[in-house]
Amino acid sequence: MEIWINPACSKCRSALTLLDAEGAEYTVRRYLEDVPSPDEIRDVLGRLGLEPWDITRTQEADAKELGLKEWPRDADARERWITALAEHPKLIQRPIITAQDGTAVVARTDEAVRDALGR
């Protein structure tokens, strides 16, 4: 199991605390420093069953500068979104846990973290 975190994020710290309390084995990826490639983002999206706009933090300054709220959310625009996430990793929703069964969850709640642990 791997968890993508931003150490400054309270939701990420809460998820780590819960994983530790449950005795989970996991690796931490500080995705702002170890930036996911477009292929890794595609893989995580497949595991999540989501589209790139579903995991984009549209309130971030970078998102506003790029005008993401105006971008189309369709198959033709998918690669544009993935490229934006790879070039501006701060836009990626966090934390994301890749579970043992090949799926992933956006673990912003204790319930979501527990869900990942049960997979």
Side-chain angles (χ1 to χ4, degrees):
M1 164 179 322
E2 181 177 75
I3 181 169
W4 292 8
I5 67 155
N6 173 351
C9 168
S10 64
K11 301 276 187 194
C12 293
R13 292 191 307 270
S14 293
L16 292 173
T17 298
L18 182 54
L19 289 173
D20 289 341
E22 295 291 331
E25 289 187 28
Y26 62 92
T27 57
V28 171
R29 180 170 187 170
R30 294 178 179 219
Y31 71 92
L32 296 179
E33 298 161 17
D34 182 8
V35 179
S37 69
D39 284 341
E40 289 174 306
I41 292 169
R42 281 185 211 95
D43 178 63
V44 162
L45 288 167
R47 289 170 165 233
L48 288 166
L50 297 174
E51 293 296 338
W53 46 85
D54 296 327
I55 65 162
T56 301
R57 299 173 56 83
T58 58
Q59 298 303 314
E60 291 287 335
D62 287 353
K64 291 176 182 177
E65 280 182 36
L66 293 169
L68 287 183
K69 284 193 173 185
E70 307 306 316
W71 287 16
R73 296 177 181 214
D74 58 29
D76 291 338
R78 189 173 199 268
E79 286 305 309
R80 183 180 181 196
W81 283 85
I82 290 169
T83 298
L85 292 174
E87 291 176 357
H88 305 274
K90 196 174 216 178
L91 297 177
I92 300 171
Q93 189 58 265
R94 61 194 184 248
I96 293 176
I97 297 175
T98 55
Q100 295 294 87
D101 69 354
T103 63
V105 296
V106 177
R108 295 190 56 77
T109 64
D110 286 355
E111 184 176 274
V113 174
R114 286 190 182 94
D115 180 40
L117 285 168
R119 293 180 181 201

